[in-house]
Amino acid sequence: MRNNKNGTNVRLQGIAVSPGIIIGKARLIDRSKQKIIYQYIVNEKDLSGEVERFKNALQTTRDQIASVKNNLPDQLRQHAFILDAHLMILDDSMITDATIKSIVEEKINAEWAIKKSVQKISKIFNDIEDEYIKERFSDVENVVERILRNLSGKEQESLAVSDENVIIVAHNLSPADTTEMNTSKILGFITDIGGRTSHTAIIAQALEIPAVVGLETATSVINDGCLLIVDGYKGEVIINPDVNLISAFQQKQNYYEKYKSSILRLCYLPSETTDGHRVTLKANIEFVEEIAAAKDHGAEGIGLYRTEYLYLRSKGIPEEEELFNDYRQVAEIIHPESVTIRTLDIGGDKFLSNYQSSKEMNPALGLRAIRFCLKEQEVFRSQLRAILRASAFGHVQILLPMISGLQELIDFKKILAEVRTDLEKRKVEYDRDIRIGIMIEIPSAVTVADILAKHVDFFSIGTNDLIQYALAVDRVNEHVAFMYEPYHPAVIRMIMQTVKAARDAGIEVALCGEMAGDPMCAPILLGIGIDELSMNSGTIPLIKKVIRGVSRKEAIEDLNHILGLTTAQEVRSFIEKNADRFLPYIKEINSLQPSDK
Amino acid sequence: MEHKRKLKIINDLGIHARSAARIVELAGRHTSRLYLKKDGHEEVEGDSILSILTLNCPKGTELGARAVGEDSLALLNELVKLFEDRFGEDR
């Protein structure tokens, strides 16, 4: 599939960063053409001409960037400063003076001389630990690419002229690229690299068009002009879809449009059933920037704040101060609602360079999450201090991942007590009533949930891992992925057992896995009596619609029927049969959805 | 004419592309030359955005500023104000 340029229905999976579904033609932006740099020695008498040639290229580049800036569409006006920064980079002595010096002193051509300047700059940037500053090197590369292009006399591949609606396919998009596009002709973006906070993501959201990034091979497998389907909800791209798939996605597009308009109106109404049973809906987030979207979609707080990002970002462990500032910001912005901060859940699929040098045979069962934290206590203490300090600025709760039994909880409490004593000694403010919860995601934790419930303030069921561990299924392994089954009777029973233990101990129970955002699962969870569902903010309105459309009484009756069923398949068909009752288009939308990655 | 000032970075984001651009822009508006110095680093020129970025200045960093020329005092006064205003950022 990787090298298939002509096949139909070739699927690529990336990261969905801006929602929506589009079907359209690919416009491949290939920036790699300008890669070969000729190097030659320049005659003494031609040196001034070579310098002149370089200066002319600088001037042309300057004019181009200025023109892009002046023709910026209104939605992107706030990004104009990036182009100012590009102009400054262009005129930076590390580029201009250094290159001219190389040309004259080493008697080399302008292209080669620039290359040398860039290498020098790259070395300095590489030594910087701050990931944000490091990324700014891409701005340097972008500017230099333009200069090189102008030196070679080649036309800048213009993105502005496009007579038809297209989907932009690129290795990566720089702010300058996106700002010079005729955005009214662009249906969406897909790129090989990038993440949730990449420029592509930010621009796509600003323009309200779909985008999928991190596809890795998009530019190598997609031909210019071929037909694409981009699913900005699932992060999927389909190359050369056949007629059936196209009509299926057109339908899906319609359904989404319909339900979007029908559910967004409900967004701020309470999430309660027709017989008045309330379920709190919260958002799972990874970045402070996502809070605005969470609020817009009616989230009643942050049910899961993942904290790995700051650790994965730079090579070292982040400073307590940086963590504190980040957590405090979240606490303040979401106030008066609460934020549940999950402590470091690193290991497994993620990687912390300083600490885990040896590759684990079985990372899902290895040194990760709370196990890692209890081993590397200084890392953990620093995070706990940051969380406690932030708790003075809002309503913060702590959530511990991967708890398998009581011992870890006892060990944790000892560390927490020490951290608290330390803060008190130093007279540092924090919320002394801060609530502590644990993730229920290991089957053993379910079995001893009654024991654990006596020691914590709340549970949060992490269904993704729970299902994976309980059914012994690796979702990434294509041969067994089909066995990953939220409707498995064992999964339903485990959730029930957890809820019962919580009820008996009088504590609350939340659920923050993908099941929380699955409209088909919502009625089951409602029947079981989960207090809080936490999901990606985009799905909150949909789940709210489902909840507002059913009664708790019905949900319990359905659940009782489901408990009599013996296989996942039976449960699934029962739910699908019933789906029309609680959500008109949901069956169609779901039947088109490929399984989650 | 040469003048010096001590500066402290108080905005949450520290010096990033936008704030560095504002420093360069300010320096460009004056005839005096601006130099910035961070402990443990060589002094850099205030009109080089790349040099300023590569100083790597998060919140709390202290910098020494030196300006040489006719309007050096005016330049430094505006610079101090820019830092105190958090480069126009909210926090």
Side-chain angles (χ1 to χ4, degrees):
Chain A
M1 151 170 159
R2 202 131 289 169
N3 295 312
N4 188 346
K5 281 222 169 194
N6 306 309
T8 55
N9 298 347
V10 177
R11 287 170 188 253
L12 297 178
Q13 182 69 43
I15 306 164
V17 292
S18 187
I21 289 173
I22 39 165
I23 303 168
K25 274 193 179 161
R27 170 83 165 81
L28 192 62
I29 309 294
D30 191 357
R31 290 238 175 273
S32 58
K33 282 174 194 151
Q34 186 54 50
K35 276 283 142 61
I36 307 157
I37 292 173
Y38 296 100
Q39 306 186 345
Y40 51 87
I41 303 292
V42 181
N43 285 332
E44 189 78 43
K45 62 173 168 49
D46 297 332
L47 280 177
S48 62
E50 191 63 16
V51 170
E52 209 47 43
R53 193 168 75 89
F54 172 63
K55 283 185 175 167
N56 286 338
L58 285 181
Q59 188 53 46
T60 313
T61 310
R62 202 173 289 129
D63 294 344
Q64 285 169 348
I65 299 178
S67 136
V68 168
K69 191 184 149 197
N70 291 333
N71 296 315
L72 219 51
D74 282 345
Q75 304 106 297
L76 300 178
R77 195 116 310 265
Q78 52 173 325
H79 297 279
F81 84 92
I82 296 171
L83 295 165
D84 284 327
H86 280 192
L87 284 171
M88 290 174 183
I89 291 171
L90 178 71
D91 286 321
D92 199 295
S93 56
M94 288 168 96
I95 301 261
T96 53
D97 297 355
T99 305
I100 292 172
K101 194 162 169 260
S102 288
I103 296 174
V104 176
E105 288 180 2
E106 301 172 45
K107 303 184 181 39
I108 56 177
N109 64 324
E111 287 89 346
W112 191 354
I114 295 178
K115 187 90 187 163
K116 287 194 150 197
S117 308
V118 174
Q119 272 165 356
K120 212 174 282 170
I121 299 169
S122 153
K123 211 172 156 296
I124 302 172
F125 272 87
N126 257 327
D127 289 341
I128 295 173
E129 291 199 352
D130 186 295
E131 210 53 34
Y132 171 82
I133 302 282
K134 222 176 202 158
E135 273 175 32
R136 298 283 69 75
F137 184 66
S138 66
D139 292 320
V140 177
E141 284 179 315
N142 186 277
V143 170
V144 167
E145 206 171 75
R146 261 177 200 278
I147 303 175
L148 285 172
R149 219 171 266 273
N150 289 322
L151 273 174
S152 76
K154 261 191 200 163
E155 284 284 303
Q156 183 78 18
E157 186 166 9
S158 177
L159 309 172
V161 267
S162 181
D163 48 356
E164 55 177 350
N165 293 332
V166 290
I167 296 168
I168 300 292
V169 181
H171 180 64
N172 193 19
L173 288 168
S174 74
D177 289 333
T178 45
T179 45
E180 73 184 281
M181 290 176 185
N182 177 357
T183 50
S184 65
K185 294 286 185 192
I186 294 172
L187 297 170
F189 297 119
I190 63 175
T191 60
D192 290 340
I193 61 173
R196 275 177 235 281
T197 54
S198 58
H199 278 296
T200 311
I202 295 163
I203 299 290
Q205 285 160 16
L207 296 172
E208 296 186 0
I209 57 176
V212 177
V213 302
L215 287 157
E216 294 176 6
T217 55
T219 51
S220 50
V221 297
I222 294 172
N223 281 331
D224 194 51
C226 76
L227 196 64
L228 297 177
I229 295 175
V230 176
D231 185 339
Y233 295 94
K234 290 270 159 190
E236 194 179 39
V237 173
I238 301 166
I239 309 166
N240 295 326
D242 61 24
V243 182
N244 292 335
L245 213 54
I246 292 172
S247 74
F249 267 88
Q250 273 166 345
Q251 249 182 323
K252 192 173 171 184
Q253 213 174 10
N254 278 337
Y255 294 137
Y256 270 124
E257 289 307 320
K258 269 192 214 157
Y259 99 62
K260 226 166 77 187
S261 55
S262 77
I263 58 183
L264 276 176
R265 289 192 309 266
L266 299 174
C267 193
Y268 295 103
L269 295 173
S271 63
E272 66 182 20
T273 58
T274 52
D275 49 357
H277 176 78
R278 288 289 304 257
V279 179
T280 310
L281 300 186
K282 295 187 180 177
N284 295 346
I285 65 164
E286 196 166 357
F287 307 108
V288 183
E289 292 79 6
E290 293 176 276
I291 298 180
K295 283 184 162 174
D296 285 348
H297 287 90
E300 302 166 81
I302 305 301
L304 175 64
Y305 181 39
R306 303 185 176 99
T307 59
E308 291 72 42
Y309 173 67
L310 287 177
Y311 292 83
L312 293 168
R313 208 176 54 138
S314 53
K315 283 204 178 96
I317 302 290
E319 300 276 325
E320 176 186 328
E321 212 53 32
E322 188 183 359
L323 297 174
F324 163 65
N325 281 327
D326 185 73
Y327 303 159
R328 172 184 161 174
Q329 239 185 326
V330 176
E332 283 178 342
I333 299 174
I334 198 67
H335 192 78
E337 306 293 355
S338 69
V339 51
T340 303
I341 302 180
R342 186 180 66 189
T343 61
L344 194 54
D345 191 9
I346 228 143
D349 51 342
K350 287 152 187 160
F351 191 70
L352 195 57
S353 49
N354 286 6
Y355 284 87
Q356 291 167 315
S357 45
S358 61
K359 199 138 180 84
E360 295 187 21
M361 276 286 285
N362 212 335
L365 307 180
L367 181 64
R368 50 175 290 202
I370 192 75
R371 304 164 179 186
F372 173 81
C373 289
L374 291 175
K375 181 164 182 284
E376 300 295 341
Q377 290 202 8
E378 278 320 300
V379 176
F380 196 31
R381 279 170 205 271
S382 152
Q383 183 177 38
L384 290 175
R385 272 195 301 271
I387 297 175
L388 285 178
R389 286 170 61 199
S391 71
F393 296 88
H395 184 183
V396 174
Q397 311 193 114
I398 298 179
L399 179 60
L400 306 169
M402 284 280 283
I403 295 288
S404 67
L406 187 58
Q407 190 57 50
E408 287 144 338
L409 205 48
I410 292 170
D411 294 345
F412 160 77
K413 289 209 165 171
K414 191 164 156 277
I415 295 173
L416 184 71
E418 286 164 12
V419 171
R420 289 176 70 142
T421 312
D422 172 54
L423 290 180
E424 269 157 38
K425 243 188 246 159
R426 292 190 284 135
K427 301 216 176 342
V428 178
E429 288 288 313
Y430 72 95
D431 175 8
R432 281 154 204 256
D433 299 320
I434 192 163
R435 283 158 41 98
I436 311 293
I438 55 172
M439 293 283 291
I440 300 289
E441 54 188 341
I442 299 184
S444 61
V446 175
T447 314
V448 296
D450 57 324
I451 301 173
L452 296 170
K454 296 194 181 81
H455 298 265
V456 294
D457 301 305
F458 64 96
F459 283 159
S460 187
I461 306 176
T463 48
N464 299 10
D465 275 346
L466 184 60
I467 297 170
Q468 159 161 316
Y469 293 133
L471 305 182
V473 168
D474 179 359
R475 301 176 76 184
V476 185
N477 182 328
E478 53 184 321
H479 303 295
V480 295
F482 74 96
M483 290 176 67
Y484 180 93
E485 185 48 271
Y487 297 119
H488 195 296
V491 174
I492 298 171
R493 287 180 195 197
M494 283 198 286
I495 296 174
M496 290 185 73
Q497 187 180 348
T498 307
V499 172
K500 181 172 185 304
R503 285 283 161 277
D504 291 348
I507 64 169
E508 280 175 18
V509 50
L511 190 145
C512 65
E514 269 163 32
M515 267 180 98
D518 183 344
M520 306 289 273
C521 293
I524 304 181
L525 301 177
L526 199 58
I528 294 175
I530 299 276
D531 301 298
E532 170 189 316
L533 297 173
S534 194
M535 64 203 81
N536 292 336
S537 41
T539 45
I540 292 176
L542 173 61
I543 299 300
K544 189 171 280 186
K545 183 174 171 72
V546 174
I547 289 171
R548 289 183 61 84
V550 297
S551 69
R552 177 87 205 285
K553 192 166 157 286
E554 278 175 284
I556 292 174
E557 283 165 12
D558 283 356
L559 178 68
N560 284 334
H561 179 82
I562 287 169
L563 290 177
L565 303 175
T566 51
T567 65
Q569 193 46 51
E570 283 175 22
V571 176
R572 185 178 286 278
S573 357
F574 174 75
I575 290 171
E576 280 173 2
K577 201 173 81 227
N578 268 322
D580 284 341
R581 206 176 68 216
F582 56 84
L583 200 60
Y585 335 108
I586 199 60
K587 196 155 79 186
E588 288 83 351
I589 292 171
N590 264 287
S591 64
L592 295 172
Q593 281 178 359
S595 58
D596 282 288
K597 280 271 157 74
Chain B
M1 262 199 307
E2 177 176 314
H3 289 92
K4 290 181 179 178
R5 286 280 189 284
K6 284 247 166 292
L7 300 166
K8 183 161 183 179
I9 293 156
I10 57 168
N11 64 320
D12 276 359
L13 296 172
I15 294 191
H16 52 104
R18 193 189 296 244
S19 34
R22 294 195 63 166
I23 298 171
V24 174
E25 185 260 334
L26 193 154
R29 272 193 279 115
H30 294 79
T31 54
S32 301
R33 305 281 294 167
L34 171 67
Y35 302 92
L36 297 172
K37 170 98 178 79
K38 181 178 149 183
D39 269 357
H41 283 258
E42 278 182 34
E43 190 175 69
V44 302
E45 294 181 11
D47 58 1
S48 163
I49 188 170
L50 295 175
S51 303
I52 297 174
L53 275 177
T54 49
L55 274 184
N56 191 16
C57 302
K59 184 182 182 179
T61 308
E62 290 183 1
L63 291 175
R66 184 167 71 91
V68 185
E70 291 276 313
D71 55 0
S72 53
L73 199 57
L75 191 164
L76 288 178
N77 285 341
E78 282 185 49
L79 189 67
V80 168
K81 197 165 174 312
L82 184 64
F83 275 64
E84 282 173 352
D85 286 350
R86 300 182 160 84
F87 304 97
E89 289 158 22
D90 292 341
R91 43 174 74 230

